[in-house]
């Protein structure tokens, strides 16, 4: 088994690298690549990468990603770059005879108007939230391509649907990053400068968060064991959903921040909730133990504080 991992320098990719290094399996060779190895928006570069490595399995993580504000500002870039990246990876996986390709969707691409909790069958049942429609439609096309490649050529291409991921190596940039790394970086700055810490929005929005190392273990399990073409939600249970306010309080505690905390209610909350149902995952892996959220937040904060020179911010 020769596994090619795209997007291996990112938040999820770094976690996959660590999990593989900690639990090496016999008969598996792993190749980790980033945009430095090939720009996957470029068809020829992608073909050259697949011809060079000739993988038998692919974990496709590479994507142009961003939080709410980047999604609202650059819908064309998020749509076109992701369409190209995904089509190039899936087409070249087919052309080089890859046995299995596991790609990454996201719970944020589900229909805006839906019932909760969302499950895998609801992915295409209505338009996504207007704030991230470009990214969402590009991601949804992975599932369409997976089905098409399976129908026409019998390819075993599938996808996973993570909820909000966090952990070391995240993007801590205040404009482009997701909510958790944004909060961590803002508190870091507030602590350093002795200024108030401002949370964007009311703090009422609710989210499920999965630690990148838990997600990496689950993605590797999907690559080795999961046989369906249909996607699978990789999420903590519904009961583990928390408000952004609760999350902010967790980060404040982890960073021992004692200053003033403000909520900028002129900023958008985004989707108020998007609770995901992890029943399918639980059916396959009833005994999987998710990390303790507070410990995982502490580890992430520690990584950010100790890695100021390499952290994306
Ligand atoms: P990151 O932004 O941390 O990493 C993105 C990775 O993609 C990097 O390795 C980057 O390489 C690579 N990449 C970006 N553009 C290109 C390109 N044109 N050609 C080749 N490689 C490229 O992303 P995450 O780790 O957070 O996300 C991984 C996957 O998980 C994505 O598909 C994402 O949609 C999905 N996901 C993420 C969630 C989250 O909360 N983070 C939630 C749900 C799903 P380089 O370092 O060289 O730029």
């Amino acid at each position: 088994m020769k596994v090619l991992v795209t997007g291996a320098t990112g938040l999820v990719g770094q976690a996959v690298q660590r999990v593989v290094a900690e639990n090496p399996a016999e008969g598996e060779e792993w190749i980790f690549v980033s945009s430095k190895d090939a720009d996957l928006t470029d068809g020829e570069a992608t073909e050259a990468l697949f011809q060079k490595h000739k993988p038998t399995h692919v974990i496709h993580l590479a994507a142009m990603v961003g939080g709410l504000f980047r999604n609202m500002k650059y819908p064309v870039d998020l749509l076109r770059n992701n369409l190209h990246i995904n089509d190039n990876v899936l087409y070249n996986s087919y052309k080089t005879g890859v046995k299995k390709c596991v790609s990454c969707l996201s719970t944020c691409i589900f229909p805006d108007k839906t019932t909760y909790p969302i499950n895998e069958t609801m992915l295409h049942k209505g338009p996504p939230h207007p704030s991230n429609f470009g990214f969402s439609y590009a991601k949804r096309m992975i599932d369409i391509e997976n089905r098409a490649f399976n129908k026409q050529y019998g390819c075993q291409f599938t996808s996973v649907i993570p909820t909000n991921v966090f952990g070391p190596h995240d993007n801590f940039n205040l404009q482009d990053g997701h909510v958790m790394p944004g909060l961590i970086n803002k508190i870091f700055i507030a602590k350093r400068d002795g200024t108030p810490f401002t949370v964007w929005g009311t703090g009422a929005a609710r989210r499920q968060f999965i630690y990148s190392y838990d997600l990496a273990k689950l993605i590797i399990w999907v690559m080795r064991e999961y046989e369906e073409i249909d996607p699978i939600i990789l999420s903590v249970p519904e009961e583990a959903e928390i408000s952004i306010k609760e999350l902010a309080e967790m980060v404040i505690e982890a960073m021992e921040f004692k200053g003033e905390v403000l909520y900028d209610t002129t900023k958008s909350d985004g989707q108020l909730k998007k609770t995901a149902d992890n029943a399918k995952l639980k059916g396959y892996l009833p005994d999987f133990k998710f990390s303790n959220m507070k410990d995982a937040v502490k580890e992430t904060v520690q990584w950010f504080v100790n890695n100021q020179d390499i952290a994306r911010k």
Side-chain angles (χ1 to χ4, degrees):
M1 193 187 280
K2 194 170 181 185
V3 192
L4 178 73
V5 182
T6 71
T9 43
L11 164 64
V12 183
Q14 291 278 359
V16 170
Q17 293 202 46
R18 188 175 112 177
V19 171
V20 168
E22 284 173 0
N23 313 281
E26 228 173 276
E28 286 181 6
E29 181 191 343
W30 291 76
I31 301 144
F32 298 102
V33 295
S34 74
S35 66
K36 290 200 181 64
D37 301 278
D39 176 359
L40 299 173
T41 60
D42 178 332
E44 282 175 21
T46 311
E47 185 178 359
L49 179 80
F50 275 74
Q51 288 302 333
K52 180 177 171 195
H53 295 294
K54 297 215 162 46
T56 62
H57 292 67
V58 173
I59 294 179
H60 172 40
L61 304 173
M64 182 183 181
V65 305
L68 176 64
F69 297 93
R70 190 181 196 191
N71 266 292
M72 294 206 288
K73 208 165 158 198
Y74 304 108
V76 175
D77 297 355
L78 284 150
L79 177 68
R80 294 194 70 233
N81 287 338
N82 286 308
L83 280 174
H84 288 139
I85 289 174
N86 299 330
D87 183 54
N88 287 334
V89 167
L90 293 175
Y91 180 61
N92 281 287
S93 292
Y94 151 67
K95 271 205 349 195
T96 50
V98 164
K99 291 201 180 98
K100 192 163 174 186
C101 178
V102 179
S103 302
C104 235
L105 311 183
S106 167
T107 48
C108 70
I109 69 171
F110 272 74
D112 179 28
K113 302 211 167 24
T114 185
T115 53
Y116 293 97
I118 50 175
N119 66 42
E120 293 83 352
T121 67
M122 300 172 174
L123 181 60
H124 301 287
K125 291 184 179 159
H129 193 266
S131 62
N132 66 352
F133 75 98
F135 178 77
S136 299
Y137 278 118
K139 281 283 188 186
R140 286 185 189 188
M141 288 307 293
I142 290 180
D143 179 56
I144 303 295
E145 284 208 50
N146 285 349
R147 290 171 201 282
F149 273 111
N150 180 258
K151 196 161 184 208
Q152 189 170 339
Y153 299 118
C155 297
Q156 208 193 343
F157 296 168
T158 190
S159 57
V160 297
I161 311 179
T163 36
N164 294 267
V165 190
F166 71 98
H169 301 279
D170 206 341
N171 181 358
F172 293 83
N173 184 284
L174 297 183
Q175 299 297 329
D176 295 345
H178 286 107
V179 54
M180 164 117 52
L183 293 178
I184 293 174
N185 194 3
K186 272 199 237 172
I187 297 183
F188 182 85
I189 293 166
K191 227 177 137 175
R192 184 194 61 198
D193 299 350
T195 50
F197 158 50
T198 307
V199 181
W200 285 354
T202 65
R206 300 182 69 80
R207 296 288 183 268
Q208 286 151 300
F209 293 91
I210 184 166
Y211 194 31
S212 58
Y213 297 110
D214 293 344
L215 178 62
K217 286 178 196 160
L218 291 171
I219 290 176
I220 293 167
W221 164 77
V222 168
M223 198 269 305
R224 289 178 183 147
E225 314 273 350
Y226 182 73
E227 304 267 306
E228 297 182 38
I229 303 303
D230 287 345
I232 181 165
I233 290 176
L234 302 181
S235 170
V236 295
E238 283 171 59
E239 313 80 77
E241 188 174 54
I242 59 167
S243 71
I244 299 304
K245 185 162 191 280
E246 287 170 297
L247 174 67
E249 282 161 2
M250 237 180 242
V251 180
I252 287 169
E253 190 189 322
M255 298 195 79
E256 295 172 358
F257 177 70
K258 306 274 185 267
E260 189 182 1
V261 181
L262 304 169
Y263 285 83
D264 180 355
T265 53
T266 62
K267 291 273 198 299
S268 166
D269 276 330
Q271 247 165 305
L272 268 188
K273 65 172 189 173
K274 41 188 180 183
T275 320
D277 179 357
N278 76 349
K280 186 173 185 178
L281 174 65
K282 248 192 271 171
Y284 275 105
L285 297 177
D287 299 325
F288 186 81
K289 289 258 174 306
F290 289 95
S291 301
N292 174 284
M293 175 90 181
K294 276 194 177 179
D295 294 344
V297 169
K298 273 200 189 119
E299 282 174 30
T300 306
V301 163
Q302 217 65 59
W303 183 89
F304 179 66
V305 172
N306 293 340
N307 289 278
Q308 282 294 301
D309 48 335
I310 58 162
R312 286 180 280 169
K313 54 187 162 73

